[in-house]
Amino acid sequence: MAADDLLVVGLDLDTGRHVHIEDRPMDQWRTLGYGHRESLVCAACFLGLDGVPAGTRVPLIPRGRIGGDRRHHFAHPPHMAPPGGHHPETLWHLEAKNQLERWARSLPGVTEVGQEQWTPGRERRADVHVRLADGSRLALEAQSSLITDPLWQQRHRDYAAAGIRDIWFMRPGTALPHVLLAEQSVVCILDLADRQVRVLWGRPHPRTGRWWENADLSRYALHHPPCPGDDLHEETVPLAHLGLNSRGLVLSQDLEHKLADEHQGIRLKAAEARRQAEQDNRRAHQLAARAGHHCAAPSPTPRTPSAPLARQPARPARRVPLRPRCAVCGGRLADVLARYGVHISIRTADGWVDCLDQPCAAPQPAPAEPAHTPAVPWPHAA
């Protein structure tokens, strides 16, 4: 028997409802199944799926035993399944709707649940329609195959226009439409065999630049729902641990606590990064201030006493003030030097010296002369 036969959904003709093997004890199903009352039939065959004429009644056989290798399930009698069997997507879709309906009925605050319910304007027919005690409505969609972005977006908008929040449960292995992430919708993968849901979260975004200044720090930790382009992280939880409210899917307490811990951890890391950046900024300002102080007041370079004096370039004559001072060093000038405007040096037999014995310029040495030549003043300026 193919593994997909484990997903065969029954239809109880007495009640007109889809049924699951665990809705009743096995002995009751046997009295309703093949070879007995035969009011328990294959829902897919009755609906006319996979090439079977609509209304076809194929009684089912309840199979399985306590402690057996395979869980209890409905099966077709030998040679009574459609040629090639039912498509896996068909079986998964029927079983998914059945499980989602039973799950929704078990939740607090749910007042009405039904499969294949139309929206008020008959734009869309929800796989499972749910009405809550506060009047809000939800559409649980079981998607067994790839759906294009435009088609998903049109369904999403139709539900929104009708005041219905849609929640999508994808078949394992089905490609996710990109728009599902772009709309920041909850993304769930429904594993029917284990009755578990893999809720998709976004992995942390790279922490670049001044990331701690961003308004939404949750993106730098595991976050839900994921963002477009995120690397995806799966959190597996039993379907029974999830809930519903007017905002949509409610995560289990374990997942909520894990998400809160992730967000608290990234806030602490952001605070530490902020403190470190402030310390680095203060240190940079201190270093800049020290560098500016040294540039503004450099220490003077001492003159080597033995360095030869060099003559300053000739300066043009200037008007002598009433109290003449040297144009080079600012010191007082003797009256005899007033017309020159600067201190001058004279050459003696011992070399060049300033007339005040405090040179303020470095004159160029004149050509050598006999030692007995009388001292002649040599002005800096003409």
Side-chain angles (χ1 to χ4, degrees):
M1 181 185 298
D4 293 327
D5 287 341
L6 294 174
L7 302 180
V8 172
V9 175
L11 173 64
D12 188 345
L13 296 177
D14 294 335
T15 62
R17 292 182 55 188
H18 293 166
V19 294
H20 190 271
I21 191 70
E22 294 184 0
D23 290 343
R24 295 186 183 185
M26 289 289 287
D27 56 350
Q28 292 187 23
W29 288 131
R30 290 190 177 97
T31 62
L32 300 177
Y34 178 73
H36 299 278
R37 287 186 57 185
E38 297 190 350
S39 60
L40 172 65
V41 300
C42 173
C45 293
F46 190 83
L47 292 173
L49 303 178
D50 300 326
V52 180
T56 300
R57 300 188 180 191
V58 178
L60 295 178
I61 301 175
R63 285 186 173 172
R65 64 178 184 273
I66 298 176
D69 294 336
R70 310 185 81 183
R71 64 180 175 87
H72 294 176
H73 60 279
F74 294 132
H76 294 82
H79 312 297
M80 294 185 67
H86 288 297
H87 293 163
E89 293 85 356
T90 299
L91 297 177
W92 185 92
H93 190 246
L94 286 174
E95 174 69 0
K97 290 191 297 182
N98 191 43
Q99 285 197 19
L100 291 175
E101 180 188 11
R102 296 173 71 248
W103 164 65
R105 290 185 183 278
S106 69
L107 299 177
V110 174
T111 59
E112 181 183 336
V113 181
Q115 292 189 30
E116 301 296 334
Q117 299 293 311
W118 286 99
T119 58
R122 300 186 69 83
E123 295 88 358
R124 294 294 168 193
R125 187 169 61 180
D127 287 339
V128 179
H129 176 264
V130 179
R131 185 183 295 273
L132 303 179
D134 61 4
S136 56
R137 293 178 296 162
L138 307 172
L140 310 182
E141 290 292 326
Q143 189 63 34
S144 60
S145 58
L146 175 64
I147 182 173
T148 63
D149 285 357
L151 181 56
W152 182 93
Q153 198 165 39
Q154 186 59 54
R155 291 184 183 179
H156 178 69
R157 289 174 177 173
D158 288 344
Y159 282 129
I164 299 174
R165 183 176 292 274
D166 51 324
I167 307 172
W168 293 73
F169 295 84
M170 312 299 290
R171 179 186 176 213
T174 302
L176 299 176
H178 174 77
V179 70
L180 197 65
L181 303 180
E183 293 282 350
Q184 293 284 277
S185 297
V186 174
V187 184
C188 298
I189 298 175
L190 179 58
D191 189 339
L192 297 178
D194 296 330
R195 298 183 188 177
Q196 292 185 329
V197 174
R198 302 202 299 269
V199 184
L200 299 187
W201 291 5
R203 293 190 180 276
H205 293 191
R207 298 199 292 266
T208 59
R210 299 179 66 86
W211 65 272
W212 58 88
E213 295 179 348
N214 289 340
D216 187 4
L217 294 174
S218 66
R219 296 296 180 256
Y220 300 102
L222 287 174
H223 51 279
H224 178 262
C227 304
D230 276 353
D231 291 332
L232 299 179
H233 167 80
E234 294 183 355
E235 287 287 342
T236 302
V237 61
L239 177 61
H241 291 184
L242 301 176
L244 294 173
N245 62 18
S246 59
R247 295 185 300 275
L249 189 71
V250 178
L251 299 180
S252 66
Q253 290 187 356
D254 290 344
L255 294 187
E256 290 286 2
H257 291 162
K258 181 172 183 177
L259 201 60
D261 290 343
E262 287 283 329
H263 294 174
Q264 177 64 17
I266 198 60
R267 284 193 293 269
L268 294 176
K269 291 180 180 179
E272 177 60 29
R274 188 179 300 110
R275 285 193 296 268
Q276 184 63 48
E278 291 173 354
Q279 292 177 4
D280 293 344
N281 191 42
R282 285 195 297 269
R283 188 177 298 109
H285 279 294
Q286 292 171 357
L287 293 175
R290 292 174 185 171
H293 174 74
H294 290 308
C295 292
S299 57
T301 303
R303 178 179 293 173
T304 305
S306 59
L309 297 177
R311 193 180 78 175
Q312 289 288 338
R315 296 180 180 273
R318 61 192 308 175
R319 181 179 179 182
V320 179
L322 295 177
R323 300 184 64 181
R325 292 184 176 276
C326 177
V328 177
C329 68
R332 292 290 303 275
L333 287 174
D335 292 339
V336 296
L337 300 178
R339 68 187 186 95
Y340 300 114
V342 293
H343 288 119
I344 63 172
S345 298
I346 59 176
R347 190 174 68 84
T348 65
D350 298 326
W352 290 87
V353 296
D354 186 76
C355 59
L356 300 179
D357 294 327
Q358 292 181 351
C360 63
Q364 296 293 333
E369 297 185 39
H372 63 275
T373 303
V376 178
W378 180 57
H380 286 273

